Amino acid sequence: MKKQVAFSAIPPKPSVLGADDWVKSRGSVEEVVAPAPSVVVPLPHTPEPMKRFTIDVTEELHKRIKSQCAQRGAKMADVIRELLEREFPKA
């Protein structure tokens, strides 16, 4: 037995409006998007750029680190960064 699929009427064509016309038809841009600030205010402290550092550790070591960090309420990345900072101080 062959499967039969019924097709409904042809779907309507998508709108022929271009992007600009579509935006205009939706109302003024000022109503939709808040105006951009004219002055950029710097953040009080901009952190140094970061680089990703990937290492492989045993499952057992990972569990110990994760467990102890959880008990301290600390993030693993923060603790490991502190360890690296202590081991490799700025000259």
Side-chain angles (χ1 to χ4, degrees), residues 32-65:
V32 178
V33 178
S38 58
V39 177
V40 176
V41 179
L43 296 174
H45 171 69
T46 305
E48 291 183 54
M50 302 293 269
K51 295 291 282 182
R52 178 134 330 253
F53 192 112
T54 305
I55 62 169
D56 295 322
V57 297
T58 64
E59 280 188 43
E60 195 271 331
L61 175 58
H62 184 271
K63 287 177 185 178
R64 285 194 330 248
I65 296 168

Side-chain angles (χ1 to χ4, degrees), residues 72 74 76-87:
R72 298 177 194 176
M76 289 175 62
D78 293 337
V79 171
I80 293 169
R81 268 190 224 102
E82 289 173 17
L83 289 168
L84 292 170
E85 283 289 344
R86 281 197 307 263
E87 185 65 27

